[in-house]
């Protein structure tokens, strides 16, 4: 009775699923336009918010540069007679503008004559960009860390301090350089701007904002992401448009509604090439639409239950003659050796049992044959190693698996030295033994997670899991261990056969973002190794050590 009810449940469940799917389809069609409109509205809001932030940053930078230009035109700096008066002026300026972490005035040779709070007075900053560039004209530098200055300034948070430099030349009436007015603006000013403008939006709508530098480094954003590089397709597609929005996949693999605005500067300030990016999780943005889908689906479930009740009653007629088939199917599922019984009536069930009987037999044979075929198709029959077909399947999976992680991959391209003379002198049987023994030794040189592939002939390929910060060293260690292993004599009958190997290597993603291209680079490194001497390893970018062929 339990099995009959279970089958009827499946029958009724099928009706439930079909009705729910129909409801979901109708709901999707009816809400598609609404979803697009909601995304467009949120996307425009994100773009506008990022525009507000970048415009405020540009205006503030321009106003601070203009303020320093006014200070630089004062007679107290153009004709500095008393350093104490200049310091008083700079201290007063810093007091009124707390975002100025340090401001100082140097002479024409770069020695600090006066500065806020006397910090760095008497020191030379002649070799610093803030002086070198400021002596030529108005200089506005990008965000950077200043280790020396950070040690001298109060830092209650203990975090790394970052600054933006603004400097300009101070000249006398004759146009001669008197000195340079240099300042370091605390980058915390940008976070204060974000808090003032965007914090209510961030908290109420769970939106995150990022300030990205010209080199795509995140200057401001969630603490865990500051300092990382951010590459989004829409950054390259912005073209001449200042603001844009789109759905983008971020490095964490999730999709976000993303608004982007590129800095265009303000008035005579050209900007530093910053971008302000705003993002909201796509699932959060689509939540209202999903709620509507759930409502439609809920009504569909109610209707499905009513139809399922009718199907339950009708299914009882069909399930009675299927109990025998169900028992046999359960035994098969439990791994027992059995056959599907023949059912005499009704005719449709008899035909079904006969078809299932033959289907099970056919699938059993096909499954075994397919397993054998797949194993032969992806493995070299002589050495048992994976072959080129297996490599073609492995490469994209390996690249995707390691994308964005702290680990990388090393590719070693190997070619056996002295294999052809052995094969020609002792015959193919000896050559086959050499290949089998070489494959066994290569496997012994690998670690867990590494792979060795026979490409054909006496060419092999190793793919190694390596730490990104020590990739070259780890790859070289495995390569040298392999060279030593293959240099040992191979016993065949009463002979001792001697071979060796040459290796070329390349690293992913250091040498190229495409793992297939890294394989090509490893092949080219192998070619350079064999040109200058065998029995050694050359990594991509290295000049092979000179030597003679053995």
């Amino acid at each position: 009775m339990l099995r009959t009810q279970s089958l009827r449940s499946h029958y009724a469940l099928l009706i439930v699923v079909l009705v729910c799917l129909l409801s979901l389809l109708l709901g999707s069609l009816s809400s598609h336009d609404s979803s697009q409109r909601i995304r467009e509205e949120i996307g425009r809001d994100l773009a506008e918010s990022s525009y507000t932030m970048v415009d405020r940053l540009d205006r503030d930078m321009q106003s601070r540069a203009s303020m320093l230009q006014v200070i630089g035109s004062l007679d107290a700096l153009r004709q500095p007679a008393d350093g104490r008066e200049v310091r008083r002026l700079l201290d007063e300026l810093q007091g009124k503008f707390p975002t100025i972490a340090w401001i100082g005035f140097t002479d024409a040779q770069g020695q600090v004559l006066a500065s806020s709070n006397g910090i760095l007075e008497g020191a030379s900053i002649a070799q610093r960009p803030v002086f070198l560039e400021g002596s030529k004209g108005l200089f506005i530098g990008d965000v950077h860390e200043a280790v020396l200055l950070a040690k001298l300034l109060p830092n209650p948070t203990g975090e790394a301090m970052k600054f933006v430099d603004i400097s300009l030349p101070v000249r006398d009436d004759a146009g001669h350089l008197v000195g340079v007015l240099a300042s370091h603006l605390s980058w915390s000013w940008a976070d204060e701007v974000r808090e003032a403008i965007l914090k209510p939006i961030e908290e109420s709508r769970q939106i995150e904002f990022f300030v990205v530098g010209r080199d795509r480094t995140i200057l401001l954003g969630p603490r865990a992401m500051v300092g990382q590089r951010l590459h989004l397709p829409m950054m390259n597609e912005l073209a001449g448009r200042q603001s844009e929005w789109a759905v983008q996949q971020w490095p964490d693999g999730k999709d976000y509604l993303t608004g982007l605005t590129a800095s265009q500067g303000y008035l005579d300030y050209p900007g530093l090439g910053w971008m302000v990016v705003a993002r909201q999780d796509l699932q959060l943005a689509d939540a209202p639409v999903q709620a509507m889908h759930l409502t439609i689906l809920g009504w569909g479930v109610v209707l499905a239950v009513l139809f399922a009740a009718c199907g339950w009653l009708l299914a009882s007629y069909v399930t009675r003659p299927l109990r025998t088939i169900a028992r046999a199917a359960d035994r098969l599922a439990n791994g027992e050796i059995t056959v599907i019984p023949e059912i005499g009536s009704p005719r449709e069930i008899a035909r079904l049992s006969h078809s299932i009987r033959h289907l099970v037999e056919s699938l059993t044979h096909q499954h075994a044959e397919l397993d054998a075929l797949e194993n032969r198709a992806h493995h070299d029959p002589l050495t048992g190693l994976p072959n080129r077909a297996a490599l073609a399947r492995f490469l994209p999976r390996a690249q995707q698996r390691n994308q964005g992680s702290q680990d990388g991959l090393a590719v070693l391209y190997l070619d056996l030295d002295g294999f052809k003379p052995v094969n020609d002198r002792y015959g193919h049987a000896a050559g086959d033994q050499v290949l089998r023994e070489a494959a066994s030794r290569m496997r012994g040189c690998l670690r867990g997670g590494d792979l060795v592939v026979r490409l054909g002939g006496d060419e092999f390929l190793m793919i190694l899991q390596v730490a990104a910060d020590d990739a070259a060293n780890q790859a070289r260690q495995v390569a040298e261990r392999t060279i030593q292993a293959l240099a040992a004599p191979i016993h065949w009958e009463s002979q001792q056969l001697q071979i060796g190997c040459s290796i070329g290597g390349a690293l992913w993603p250091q040498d190229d973002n495409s793992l297939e291209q890294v394989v090509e680079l490893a092949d080219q490194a192998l070619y350079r190794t064999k040109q200058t001497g065998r029995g050694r390893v050359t990594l991509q970018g290295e000049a092979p050590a000179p030597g003679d062929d053995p």
Side-chain angles (χ1 to χ4, degrees):
M1 185 64 180
L2 179 60
R3 296 197 177 195
T4 301
Q5 290 177 346
S6 177
L7 289 173
R8 288 194 300 174
S9 299
H10 289 311
Y11 208 96
L13 181 61
L14 177 61
I15 297 176
V16 171
V17 171
L18 290 175
V19 175
C20 288
L21 288 176
L22 180 61
S23 301
L24 181 62
L25 176 61
L26 293 176
S28 298
L29 293 175
S30 63
S31 61
H32 178 72
D33 291 339
S34 298
S35 176
Q36 292 300 317
R37 285 195 294 269
I38 289 176
R39 287 190 181 185
E40 289 177 4
E41 181 179 352
I42 295 176
R44 285 195 297 268
D45 288 345
L46 293 175
E48 290 174 1
S49 298
S50 65
Y51 174 84
T52 301
M53 176 72 174
V54 81
D55 182 65
R56 175 66 178 274
L57 292 175
D58 285 342
R59 288 174 181 266
D60 282 4
M61 287 292 289
Q62 191 277 335
S63 65
R64 282 160 174 74
S66 298
M67 175 188 65
L68 288 183
Q69 286 178 309
V70 173
I71 299 299
S73 65
L74 297 177
D75 289 340
L77 297 182
R78 297 178 64 193
Q79 299 175 357
D82 187 355
R84 289 176 298 177
E85 176 63 21
V86 176
R87 182 197 290 181
R88 186 195 63 77
L89 176 63
L90 299 181
D91 285 340
E92 183 177 353
L93 181 64
Q94 185 189 40
K96 293 184 178 180
F97 296 93
T99 57
I100 298 178
W102 179 87
I103 182 169
F105 177 66
T106 75
D107 60 17
Q109 288 72 42
Q111 184 177 11
V112 179
L113 299 178
S115 66
S116 56
N117 297 317
I119 296 175
L120 295 182
E121 282 187 1
S124 174
I125 60 172
Q127 301 304 317
R128 302 298 177 90
V130 70
F131 174 80
L132 295 174
E133 299 296 331
S135 63
K136 302 173 186 177
L138 178 63
F139 167 67
I140 301 178
D142 213 335
V143 180
H144 67 93
E145 294 185 11
V147 178
L148 177 61
L149 190 59
K151 294 178 180 179
L152 302 175
L153 294 175
N155 184 12
T157 65
E159 299 180 1
M161 300 179 68
K162 296 183 178 180
F163 305 95
V164 176
D165 295 340
I166 301 180
S167 59
L168 51 88
V170 177
R171 303 184 184 276
D172 57 19
D173 295 336
H176 299 126
L177 181 67
V178 174
V180 171
L181 180 62
S183 67
H184 288 299
L185 302 184
S186 173
W187 179 237
S188 61
W189 141 76
D191 199 36
E192 294 173 2
V193 172
R194 180 190 62 81
E195 292 258 348
I197 299 178
L198 305 175
K199 189 172 183 179
I201 302 176
E202 290 179 318
E203 294 178 348
S204 63
R205 297 170 56 183
Q206 299 183 35
I207 297 174
E208 294 178 304
F209 289 88
F210 303 79
V211 177
V212 182
R214 187 190 304 273
D215 61 352
R216 305 293 173 83
T217 299
I218 297 177
L219 305 175
L220 182 66
R223 183 174 302 177
M225 299 181 67
V226 172
Q228 298 181 11
R229 296 292 180 91
L230 179 63
H231 295 280
L232 300 175
M234 68 182 301
M235 290 180 170
N236 301 322
E237 299 168 0
L238 195 61
R241 294 170 292 183
Q242 186 177 1
S243 296
E244 188 57 270
W245 73 271
V247 176
Q248 299 280 280
Q249 185 179 65
W250 281 59
D252 61 2
K254 297 175 63 176
D255 290 332
Y256 293 86
L257 266 175
T258 306
L260 172 64
T261 300
S263 170
Q264 302 293 320
Y266 180 69
L267 297 179
D268 58 344
Y269 167 59
L272 293 174
W274 293 345
M275 294 183 180
V276 173
V277 184
R279 76 175 187 181
Q280 184 181 47
D281 193 315
L282 189 60
Q283 292 183 353
L284 182 62
D286 287 342
V289 177
Q290 295 300 326
M292 182 170 59
H293 284 174
L294 291 176
T295 301
I296 296 174
L297 184 59
W299 283 106
V301 169
V302 173
L303 295 176
V305 171
L306 295 178
F307 282 105
C310 297
W312 178 278
L313 297 176
L314 294 175
S316 60
Y317 174 77
V318 179
T319 56
R320 289 193 192 101
L322 292 177
R323 284 182 297 178
T324 304
I325 298 177
R327 293 192 188 99
D330 288 339
R331 289 196 293 271
L332 285 174
N334 292 329
E336 299 180 22
I337 300 177
T338 186
V339 294
I340 301 296
E342 294 279 0
I343 303 296
S345 64
R347 183 176 59 188
E348 291 79 4
I349 301 300
R351 182 178 300 171
L352 175 64
S353 67
H354 180 76
S355 299
I356 293 177
R357 181 188 181 93
H358 287 282
L359 176 62
V360 170
E361 295 175 354
S362 176
L363 288 176
T364 301
H365 292 302
Q366 289 182 14
H367 183 71
E369 293 175 357
L370 287 174
D371 286 345
L373 285 173
E374 183 175 4
N375 185 65
R376 289 196 296 270
H378 292 89
H379 287 80
D380 174 46
L382 177 62
T383 62
L385 296 179
N387 57 14
R388 284 184 180 272
L391 178 65
R393 295 178 60 184
F394 176 81
L395 289 179
R397 296 176 181 176
Q399 181 168 342
Q400 182 179 12
R401 183 171 60 251
N402 289 274
Q403 197 76 39
S405 71
Q406 297 298 320
D407 295 333
L409 298 173
V411 176
L412 301 180
Y413 212 113
L414 296 86
D415 183 78
L416 299 184
D417 298 331
F419 172 74
K420 187 176 185 303
V422 169
N423 198 51
D424 292 342
R425 180 177 180 182
Y426 297 101
H428 293 298
D432 291 347
Q433 175 61 22
V434 168
L435 290 175
R436 284 192 290 267
E437 179 63 22
S440 176
R441 295 182 184 183
M442 290 179 197
R443 280 194 292 259
C445 294
L446 299 182
R447 309 152 305 172
D450 295 342
L451 177 73
V452 59
V453 177
R454 185 188 179 196
L455 300 177
D458 59 348
E459 292 186 346
F460 298 84
L461 191 76
M462 287 182 172
I463 300 179
L464 315 176
Q465 294 281 346
V466 294
D469 57 353
D470 194 34
N473 184 46
Q474 293 182 25
R476 183 172 293 279
Q477 288 178 358
V478 174
E480 292 176 351
R481 187 163 62 242
T482 303
I483 291 173
Q484 293 177 1
L486 294 179
I490 297 175
H491 298 280
W492 180 77
E493 295 183 350
S494 61
Q495 304 291 330
Q496 285 192 348
L497 308 180
Q498 193 73 42
I499 64 167
C501 79
S502 299
I503 302 178
L507 306 176
W508 177 90
Q510 290 92 326
D511 293 330
D512 199 281
N513 288 329
S514 169
L515 190 52
E516 289 82 358
Q517 184 61 32
V518 171
V519 173
E520 293 295 328
L521 294 175
D523 188 17
Q524 296 171 15
L526 172 61
Y527 178 76
R528 293 194 299 273
T529 300
K530 297 176 68 174
Q531 278 186 319
T532 57
R534 305 187 178 188
R536 64 193 66 191
V537 57
T538 300
L539 298 182
Q540 168 67 18
E542 293 181 346
D548 299 326
D549 291 345

